[in-house]
Amino acid sequence: GAGVSQSPSNKVTEKGKDVELRCDPISGHTALYWYRQSLGQGLEFLIYFQGNSAPDKSGLPSDRFSAERTGGSVSTLTIQRTQQEDSAVYLCASSSGQGYYGYTFGSGTRLTVV
Amino acid sequence: GNSVTQMEGPVTLSEEAFLTINCTYTATGYPSLFWYVQYPGEGLQLLLKATKADDKGSNKGFEATYRKETTSFHLEKGSVQVSDSAVYFCAYEGAGSYQLTFGKGTKLSVIP
């Protein structure tokens, strides 16, 4: 597509439930990133996929968080047993290479855990 | 460790005022530096970038110069407009890295 598409745009879930967030990157972009944007905290790196290489999961805050990328395209970020501190905007970005080329961000999924 | 520090907001300016948002970084080597902008209700967009010392990035009337001696990449605009109201993020990518490190963002409000 023309841009990075994320769904849903908003998600309200009850504490303890699992959620899945989806990202459709720009066609042909080999690199895909997930970031979390919390109020007053800026953007926090979560995970990075590059082609068929093993992802860099170093930013995932706990083992409740996981992500996969199928066929080098669509990615799903899963949060299990959600907690209130998980409430944030989750941003996906894709790039044709290193960030030097500039990431293209999606509009994000606003997650609210109640 | 590597980090980005940008001036805290919010910043409120009148239309046509001069804008400076300070950004300094701590990193080894020669990182690439970026400014991203997030307009209300939208995703982040790349505003400008610079990849080596003394480079000047520019776009939409905004400018920032990569100053290695002061490890800074301050964002400037000579005459802001209401449409510039947004959150601005300074970021860097370390040489050979693939991960952007962002500052906490500075919210700019421009009033008529």
Side-chain angles (χ1 to χ4, degrees), chain B residues 13-100:
Chain B
L13 295 174
S14 297
E15 207 164 20
E16 299 183 2
F18 183 85
L19 168 72
T20 299
I21 301 178
N22 289 338
C23 171
T24 57
Y25 66 91
T26 303
T28 57
Y30 297 86
S32 296
L33 302 174
F34 305 84
W35 277 99
Y36 278 80
V37 58
Q38 186 175 32
Y39 297 104
E42 299 184 14
L44 275 80
Q45 303 174 26
L46 178 64
L47 180 60
L48 53 84
K49 66 183 181 184
T51 57
K52 61 182 186 295
D54 300 324
D55 265 4
K56 177 185 285 186
S58 61
N59 186 25
K60 299 181 180 179
F62 291 88
E63 292 184 340
T65 301
Y66 186 153
R67 302 286 189 199
K68 183 161 179 63
E69 64 275 14
T70 55
T71 62
S72 64
F73 194 54
H74 305 323
L75 182 69
E76 297 181 335
K77 187 173 184 179
S79 176
V80 294
Q81 305 300 312
V82 172
S83 57
D84 294 326
S85 298
V87 181
Y88 293 82
F89 293 89
C90 186
Y92 81 82
E93 180 187 76
S97 176
Y98 50 77
Q99 182 184 133
L100 281 179

Side-chain angles (χ1 to χ4, degrees), chain A residues 52-71:
Chain A
N52 296 321
S53 301
D56 177 354
K57 305 179 183 179
S58 60
L60 296 178
S62 77
D63 58 9
R64 296 186 295 106
F65 287 72
S66 63
E68 62 177 21
R69 188 180 185 192
T70 54

